[in-house]
Amino acid sequence: MSDTVREVPNRIGGRRVPAASGAWLDDVGPATGEVIARIARSDARDVDAAVQAARAAQPAWAALSDEARARVLDRVADGLEARLDELAALESRDQGKPVSLAREVDIPRAIANFRFFAGAVRHQELPSHPMPGAVNLTQRSPVGVCGLVTPWNLPLYLLTWKAAPALAMGNAVVAKPSELTPLTADALVDVMEEAGLPPGVFNLVHGLGPEAGQALVEHPDVKAVSFTGGTVTGRRVAATAAPRFKKLSLELGGKNATVVFDDCDWEATLDGAVRAGFANQGEICLCGSRLLVQRSVHDRFVEAYAARVAALTVGDPADPATRVGALVSAAHRDKVEGYLRLAVDEGGTVRCGGTRPDLPGSLAGGSFLAPAVVSGLAPACRTATEEIFGPVVTVHPFDDEEEAIALANGVAYGLSASVWTRDLGRAHRVARALDVGMVWVNTWLLRDLRVPFGGVKDSGVGREGGRWSLEFFSETKNVCIAW
Ligand code: NDP
């Protein structure tokens, strides 16, 4: 560990502030296992300072016109775009994802989030309901101070997905990113300052979930909490926020099915299913970690699938040729390996991967794991129903539509699914029957920012995206005016 490791303090009221405790946490780069930064270890005192700064700044920000706020958001998008390569490298170094993915997906999406919500607030339409002798006008006002809590898998992408609509609607924000991946959030504040966002409108508090995150959710002046993370943490966040009557959005875990019928477009389905299973090392809530394949093509499909997975290049995230980078941490790799041991105990066969690749130099200390495909498991076993959130896909045969739907719905989660078939009627039937918030047919993770995003069952409560985000980050008021 070098003595020159950068210290990353909180960003409160336009200032860089160390934690009140004076303590720091190590931020470890997953590709090498080395400490790459130290972040403020914040507690309730820091959260309170950030909330007070947000409260002080929010009224003037809200008083600006929608157009004026949208212009600031556009400038944030411009600033992120100007730093695309730098941010992609930073995200890759901090998270372990391939730099090519960060450059093609994470950072462009962060830019798009700001541009999209700048446009959305400019173009929002509010209903009016005329009645005999009166007219009802629906108005929206900011909620006030919003708390944003985000996970480590898509750090800047998910933070900006919440921050852009919150700011567009005139709120002030206190954000708590995952302590595993704090660096692009800090860079975002630099960009926001350059873009002219007034001090205190966006505040960043680093630290551990049970300390800083919990204090943020508890704070009485935080009126809305938007949380993306695991289901267990989400339950805790809900239990904290509900008795305080806060607005709450929960985007939680998934165990999503990729449903392959025998009439699918073979090549496109193989490509799509591999991407769905292993993009971002399988560390995306939407990843298709359960591959359900119609029995008539099951063996042939699984063989071709495992061959493609085995051919994915695992290695240095900074190398543009890498398809699978490092898992976010050594502890997370341990957890994923534990599930692979469980899979074998449960009767599964690991068809490929699941081993630590032999990588040279400093990469030898990184948390890499070759992507794994497991067959032969009962669909109801733990490996096939619990969220692993890593590069592991389990495969299961089914006979007909009815069985495919039953298997897909047979887990506690209900986030998303993808269905692969050339039969349009079947696509409609299956999509309707799936107990999830989002279905892709013959594609995966094709996103339009206008559409509702979110899950059912243990995958969360509420929807984000387009007008759903604008509604969440505002209070709706009806004004009835008699003639
Ligand atoms: P966690 O639930 O562990 O953490 C999410 C965030 O919550 C982190 O910033 C964490 O801080 C914080 N946190 C932890 N405890 C508390 C608490 N008591 N109060 C407030 N905040 C707290 O999730 P991960 O970071 O491990 O992310 C992976 C999970 O996120 C997976 O389950 C994945 O499915 C889900 N996810 C869901 C998405 C969706 O849109 N549905 C998208 C992406 C991920 P700290 O890191 O310091 O613990």
Side-chain angles (χ1 to χ4, degrees), residues 149-153 158 176-180 207-210 213-214 217 227-231 233 236-237 251-254 285 387 389 415 453 459:
V149 183
T150 47
W152 47 257
N153 62 331
L158 288 174
K176 207 300 278 177
S178 168
E179 94 280 2
L180 298 176
L208 299 171
Q214 181 72 21
V217 177
F227 171 87
T228 298
T231 294
T233 317
R236 173 103 199 249
V237 168
E251 300 290 344
L252 309 178
C285 53
E387 186 185 43
F389 213 55
L415 191 55
F453 181 100
S459 291

Short mmCIF file of all heavy atoms in Angstrom, two decimals, residues 149-153 158 176-180 207-210 213-214 217 227-231 233 236-237 251-254 285 387 389 415 453 459, ligand 1:
data_model
loop_
_atom_site.label_atom_id
_atom_site.label_comp_id
_atom_site.label_asym_id
_atom_site.label_seq_id
_atom_site.Cartn_x
_atom_site.Cartn_y
_atom_site.Cartn_z
N VAL A 149 -29.46 6.02 -1.92
CA VAL A 149 -28.52 4.98 -1.46
C VAL A 149 -28.33 4.00 -2.62
O VAL A 149 -29.31 3.44 -3.13
CB VAL A 149 -29.07 4.24 -0.22
CG1 VAL A 149 -28.06 3.22 0.28
CG2 VAL A 149 -29.41 5.24 0.89
N THR A 150 -27.09 3.82 -3.03
CA THR A 150 -26.84 3.07 -4.27
C THR A 150 -25.78 1.98 -4.07
O THR A 150 -24.92 2.08 -3.20
CB THR A 150 -26.40 4.04 -5.38
OG1 THR A 150 -25.40 4.93 -4.86
CG2 THR A 150 -27.57 4.85 -5.89
N PRO A 151 -25.85 0.94 -4.91
CA PRO A 151 -24.97 -0.22 -4.75
C PRO A 151 -23.68 -0.09 -5.57
O PRO A 151 -23.46 0.91 -6.26
CB PRO A 151 -25.82 -1.36 -5.29
CG PRO A 151 -26.60 -0.73 -6.40
CD PRO A 151 -26.83 0.70 -5.99
N TRP A 152 -22.89 -1.17 -5.54
CA TRP A 152 -21.55 -1.13 -6.12
C TRP A 152 -21.46 -1.63 -7.55
O TRP A 152 -20.41 -1.58 -8.16
CB TRP A 152 -20.58 -1.93 -5.25
CG TRP A 152 -21.07 -3.29 -4.84
CD1 TRP A 152 -21.56 -3.63 -3.60
CD2 TRP A 152 -21.15 -4.49 -5.63
NE1 TRP A 152 -21.94 -4.96 -3.58
CE2 TRP A 152 -21.69 -5.50 -4.82
CE3 TRP A 152 -20.81 -4.80 -6.94
CZ2 TRP A 152 -21.92 -6.80 -5.26
CZ3 TRP A 152 -21.04 -6.10 -7.40
CH2 TRP A 152 -21.58 -7.07 -6.57
N ASN A 153 -22.54 -2.18 -8.08
CA ASN A 153 -22.37 -2.87 -9.38
C ASN A 153 -22.32 -1.92 -10.57
O ASN A 153 -21.56 -2.14 -11.51
CB ASN A 153 -23.45 -3.94 -9.55
CG ASN A 153 -24.82 -3.35 -9.56
OD1 ASN A 153 -25.07 -2.31 -8.95
ND2 ASN A 153 -25.74 -3.98 -10.25
N LEU A 158 -26.18 4.09 -11.70
CA LEU A 158 -27.37 4.05 -10.83
C LEU A 158 -27.50 5.31 -9.98
O LEU A 158 -28.61 5.74 -9.69
CB LEU A 158 -27.34 2.79 -9.96
CG LEU A 158 -27.63 1.50 -10.73
CD1 LEU A 158 -27.45 0.28 -9.83
CD2 LEU A 158 -29.04 1.52 -11.31
N LYS A 176 -25.49 8.47 -0.67
CA LYS A 176 -24.54 7.57 0.00
C LYS A 176 -24.25 6.41 -0.95
O LYS A 176 -25.01 5.46 -1.05
CB LYS A 176 -25.17 7.05 1.30
CG LYS A 176 -24.19 6.67 2.40
CD LYS A 176 -23.21 5.59 2.05
CE LYS A 176 -23.75 4.19 2.18
NZ LYS A 176 -22.75 3.15 1.76
N PRO A 177 -23.12 6.51 -1.69
CA PRO A 177 -22.78 5.39 -2.57
C PRO A 177 -22.23 4.22 -1.76
O PRO A 177 -21.87 4.38 -0.59
CB PRO A 177 -21.70 5.98 -3.48
CG PRO A 177 -21.12 7.13 -2.74
CD PRO A 177 -22.14 7.59 -1.73
N SER A 178 -22.14 3.07 -2.39
CA SER A 178 -21.51 1.92 -1.72
C SER A 178 -20.06 2.27 -1.39
O SER A 178 -19.35 2.86 -2.20
CB SER A 178 -21.54 0.70 -2.62
OG SER A 178 -20.69 -0.30 -2.07
N GLU A 179 -19.63 1.86 -0.22
CA GLU A 179 -18.25 2.17 0.17
C GLU A 179 -17.24 1.38 -0.65
O GLU A 179 -16.06 1.70 -0.66
CB GLU A 179 -18.06 1.96 1.68
CG GLU A 179 -17.52 0.61 2.11
CD GLU A 179 -18.59 -0.47 2.15
OE1 GLU A 179 -19.75 -0.17 1.80
OE2 GLU A 179 -18.26 -1.60 2.52
N LEU A 180 -17.74 0.38 -1.40
CA LEU A 180 -16.82 -0.40 -2.24
C LEU A 180 -16.46 0.35 -3.53
O LEU A 180 -15.42 0.08 -4.13
CB LEU A 180 -17.45 -1.75 -2.60
CG LEU A 180 -17.75 -2.69 -1.42
CD1 LEU A 180 -18.46 -3.94 -1.90
CD2 LEU A 180 -16.46 -3.06 -0.69
N GLY A 207 -19.29 6.15 3.39
CA GLY A 207 -19.23 5.37 4.62
C GLY A 207 -19.96 4.06 4.50
O GLY A 207 -20.38 3.65 3.41
N LEU A 208 -20.10 3.40 5.62
CA LEU A 208 -20.71 2.07 5.66
C LEU A 208 -22.24 2.17 5.69
O LEU A 208 -22.79 3.11 6.27
CB LEU A 208 -20.21 1.32 6.89
CG LEU A 208 -18.70 1.09 6.96
CD1 LEU A 208 -18.30 0.53 8.31
CD2 LEU A 208 -18.25 0.15 5.83
N GLY A 209 -22.86 1.16 5.13
CA GLY A 209 -24.32 1.15 5.10
C GLY A 209 -24.95 1.25 6.48
O GLY A 209 -25.80 2.12 6.72
N PRO A 210 -24.57 0.38 7.41
CA PRO A 210 -25.24 0.42 8.72
C PRO A 210 -24.96 1.71 9.51
O PRO A 210 -25.70 2.02 10.45
CB PRO A 210 -24.65 -0.80 9.45
CG PRO A 210 -24.18 -1.70 8.35
CD PRO A 210 -23.73 -0.80 7.24
N GLY A 213 -25.49 4.99 5.84
CA GLY A 213 -26.72 4.72 5.11
C GLY A 213 -27.93 4.71 6.03
O GLY A 213 -28.95 5.34 5.76
N GLN A 214 -27.79 4.01 7.14
CA GLN A 214 -28.89 3.92 8.11
C GLN A 214 -29.25 5.31 8.64
O GLN A 214 -30.43 5.67 8.74
CB GLN A 214 -28.47 2.99 9.25
CG GLN A 214 -29.51 2.77 10.33
CD GLN A 214 -30.69 1.91 9.87
OE1 GLN A 214 -30.59 1.16 8.91
NE2 GLN A 214 -31.82 2.06 10.55
N VAL A 217 -31.30 7.19 6.07
CA VAL A 217 -32.69 6.73 5.96
C VAL A 217 -33.50 7.17 7.19
O VAL A 217 -34.69 7.50 7.10
CB VAL A 217 -32.72 5.19 5.80
CG1 VAL A 217 -34.15 4.67 5.76
CG2 VAL A 217 -31.98 4.78 4.52
N PHE A 227 -33.70 3.76 -2.86
CA PHE A 227 -32.69 2.77 -2.50
C PHE A 227 -32.57 1.72 -3.60
O PHE A 227 -33.58 1.16 -4.03
CB PHE A 227 -33.09 2.09 -1.19
CG PHE A 227 -32.22 0.91 -0.83
CD1 PHE A 227 -31.03 1.10 -0.11
CD2 PHE A 227 -32.55 -0.38 -1.21
CE1 PHE A 227 -30.21 0.00 0.20
CE2 PHE A 227 -31.75 -1.47 -0.90
CZ PHE A 227 -30.57 -1.27 -0.19
N THR A 228 -31.37 1.44 -4.04
CA THR A 228 -31.11 0.28 -4.88
C THR A 228 -30.06 -0.57 -4.20
O THR A 228 -29.00 -0.07 -3.82
CB THR A 228 -30.63 0.70 -6.28
OG1 THR A 228 -31.66 1.46 -6.91
CG2 THR A 228 -30.33 -0.51 -7.15
N GLY A 229 -30.37 -1.83 -4.01
CA GLY A 229 -29.42 -2.71 -3.32
C GLY A 229 -30.06 -4.06 -3.09
O GLY A 229 -31.03 -4.43 -3.77
N GLY A 230 -29.53 -4.80 -2.15
CA GLY A 230 -30.00 -6.16 -1.90
C GLY A 230 -31.35 -6.18 -1.18
O GLY A 230 -31.75 -5.20 -0.53
N THR A 231 -32.03 -7.32 -1.27
CA THR A 231 -33.36 -7.44 -0.68
C THR A 231 -33.31 -7.40 0.84
O THR A 231 -34.18 -6.79 1.48
CB THR A 231 -34.01 -8.75 -1.20
OG1 THR A 231 -34.21 -8.59 -2.62
CG2 THR A 231 -35.34 -9.02 -0.53
N THR A 233 -31.14 -5.79 2.76
CA THR A 233 -30.95 -4.39 3.15
C THR A 233 -32.22 -3.59 2.87
O THR A 233 -32.62 -2.73 3.67
CB THR A 233 -29.77 -3.76 2.38
OG1 THR A 233 -28.69 -4.68 2.34
CG2 THR A 233 -29.31 -2.49 3.04
N ARG A 236 -34.71 -3.80 5.58
CA ARG A 236 -34.30 -2.97 6.72
C ARG A 236 -34.61 -1.48 6.43
O ARG A 236 -35.10 -0.76 7.29
CB ARG A 236 -32.79 -3.18 6.90
CG ARG A 236 -32.12 -2.31 7.89
CD ARG A 236 -31.86 -3.09 9.16
NE ARG A 236 -31.63 -2.17 10.25
CZ ARG A 236 -30.48 -1.99 10.84
NH1 ARG A 236 -29.45 -2.71 10.47
NH2 ARG A 236 -30.37 -1.14 11.83
N VAL A 237 -34.31 -1.06 5.21
CA VAL A 237 -34.57 0.33 4.83
C VAL A 237 -36.08 0.60 4.90
O VAL A 237 -36.52 1.63 5.43
CB VAL A 237 -34.02 0.60 3.40
CG1 VAL A 237 -34.53 1.91 2.84
CG2 VAL A 237 -32.49 0.59 3.42
N GLU A 251 -35.45 -0.64 -5.28
CA GLU A 251 -35.06 -1.47 -6.43
C GLU A 251 -34.12 -2.54 -5.87
O GLU A 251 -32.98 -2.23 -5.52
CB GLU A 251 -34.34 -0.62 -7.48
CG GLU A 251 -35.16 0.51 -8.04
CD GLU A 251 -36.30 0.04 -8.94
OE1 GLU A 251 -36.27 -1.13 -9.37
OE2 GLU A 251 -37.22 0.84 -9.18
N LEU A 252 -34.58 -3.78 -5.79
CA LEU A 252 -33.84 -4.80 -5.04
C LEU A 252 -33.32 -5.91 -5.96
O LEU A 252 -33.13 -5.70 -7.14
CB LEU A 252 -34.74 -5.35 -3.93
CG LEU A 252 -35.38 -4.26 -3.04
CD1 LEU A 252 -36.30 -4.87 -2.00
CD2 LEU A 252 -34.32 -3.38 -2.39
N GLY A 253 -33.08 -7.05 -5.39
CA GLY A 253 -32.38 -8.10 -6.12
C GLY A 253 -33.24 -8.82 -7.15
O GLY A 253 -34.43 -8.56 -7.31
N GLY A 254 -32.60 -9.74 -7.85
CA GLY A 254 -33.31 -10.52 -8.86
C GLY A 254 -32.71 -11.90 -9.02
O GLY A 254 -31.57 -12.16 -8.62
N CYS A 285 -28.42 -6.56 -11.47
CA CYS A 285 -29.66 -7.09 -10.90
C CYS A 285 -30.51 -7.78 -11.95
O CYS A 285 -31.31 -8.65 -11.63
CB CYS A 285 -30.43 -5.97 -10.23
SG CYS A 285 -30.71 -4.56 -11.32
N GLU A 387 -30.22 -15.29 -4.97
CA GLU A 387 -29.43 -14.39 -5.81
C GLU A 387 -27.95 -14.56 -5.49
O GLU A 387 -27.53 -14.37 -4.36
CB GLU A 387 -29.84 -12.93 -5.58
CG GLU A 387 -29.14 -12.00 -6.55
CD GLU A 387 -29.42 -10.53 -6.28
OE1 GLU A 387 -29.41 -10.12 -5.11
OE2 GLU A 387 -29.64 -9.79 -7.26
N PHE A 389 -25.50 -13.11 -7.71
CA PHE A 389 -24.98 -11.80 -8.13
C PHE A 389 -23.52 -11.90 -8.55
O PHE A 389 -22.69 -11.07 -8.23
CB PHE A 389 -25.14 -10.79 -6.98
CG PHE A 389 -25.40 -9.38 -7.49
CD1 PHE A 389 -26.44 -9.12 -8.35
CD2 PHE A 389 -24.58 -8.32 -7.13
CE1 PHE A 389 -26.68 -7.85 -8.83
CE2 PHE A 389 -24.80 -7.04 -7.60
CZ PHE A 389 -25.86 -6.80 -8.45
N LEU A 415 -38.00 -9.54 -10.73
CA LEU A 415 -37.50 -8.32 -11.35
C LEU A 415 -37.72 -8.33 -12.87
O LEU A 415 -38.48 -7.53 -13.41
CB LEU A 415 -36.01 -8.13 -11.01
CG LEU A 415 -35.41 -6.77 -11.35
CD1 LEU A 415 -36.19 -5.63 -10.74
CD2 LEU A 415 -33.94 -6.71 -10.94
N PHE A 453 -39.33 1.11 -14.76
CA PHE A 453 -38.28 0.16 -14.37
C PHE A 453 -38.50 -0.22 -12.92
O PHE A 453 -38.60 0.64 -12.04
CB PHE A 453 -36.90 0.84 -14.52
CG PHE A 453 -35.75 -0.07 -14.16
CD1 PHE A 453 -35.02 -0.70 -15.15
CD2 PHE A 453 -35.42 -0.31 -12.83
CE1 PHE A 453 -33.97 -1.55 -14.82
CE2 PHE A 453 -34.37 -1.15 -12.49
CZ PHE A 453 -33.65 -1.78 -13.49
N SER A 459 -38.34 -8.26 -5.29
CA SER A 459 -37.46 -7.40 -6.08
C SER A 459 -37.75 -5.92 -5.91
O SER A 459 -37.08 -5.10 -6.55
CB SER A 459 -37.54 -7.78 -7.57
OG SER A 459 -36.96 -9.06 -7.76
P1 NDP B 1 -26.51 -3.77 -0.37
O1 NDP B 1 -27.95 -3.94 -0.09
O2 NDP B 1 -25.52 -4.45 0.47
O3 NDP B 1 -26.12 -2.23 -0.34
C1 NDP B 1 -26.77 -1.23 -1.11
C2 NDP B 1 -26.46 0.12 -0.49
O4 NDP B 1 -27.12 0.22 0.77
C3 NDP B 1 -24.98 0.36 -0.19
O5 NDP B 1 -24.67 1.72 -0.38
C4 NDP B 1 -24.90 -0.04 1.27
O6 NDP B 1 -23.79 0.49 1.90
C5 NDP B 1 -26.19 0.54 1.79
N1 NDP B 1 -26.67 0.02 3.05
C6 NDP B 1 -26.33 -1.13 3.70
N2 NDP B 1 -27.00 -1.24 4.88
C7 NDP B 1 -27.79 -0.14 4.97
C8 NDP B 1 -28.73 0.34 5.94
N3 NDP B 1 -28.99 -0.33 7.07
N4 NDP B 1 -29.36 1.51 5.70
C9 NDP B 1 -29.13 2.19 4.57
N5 NDP B 1 -28.24 1.81 3.63
C10 NDP B 1 -27.59 0.66 3.82
O7 NDP B 1 -26.34 -4.15 -1.91
P2 NDP B 1 -24.99 -4.27 -2.70
O8 NDP B 1 -24.23 -2.98 -2.66
O9 NDP B 1 -24.33 -5.53 -2.26
O10 NDP B 1 -25.55 -4.41 -4.19
C11 NDP B 1 -25.95 -5.61 -4.71
C12 NDP B 1 -27.46 -5.75 -4.64
O11 NDP B 1 -28.08 -4.68 -5.31
C13 NDP B 1 -27.93 -7.00 -5.34
O12 NDP B 1 -28.89 -7.65 -4.55
C14 NDP B 1 -28.58 -6.46 -6.60
O13 NDP B 1 -29.58 -7.28 -7.13
C15 NDP B 1 -29.11 -5.17 -6.14
N6 NDP B 1 -29.35 -4.29 -7.26
C16 NDP B 1 -30.64 -4.03 -7.66
C17 NDP B 1 -30.88 -3.26 -8.76
C18 NDP B 1 -32.27 -2.92 -9.20
O14 NDP B 1 -32.43 -1.94 -9.91
N7 NDP B 1 -33.29 -3.67 -8.81
C19 NDP B 1 -29.78 -2.71 -9.56
C20 NDP B 1 -28.49 -3.03 -9.04
C21 NDP B 1 -28.30 -3.80 -7.93
P3 NDP B 1 -22.49 -0.45 2.07
O15 NDP B 1 -22.04 -0.78 0.69
O16 NDP B 1 -21.57 0.42 2.79
O17 NDP B 1 -22.95 -1.65 2.85
#
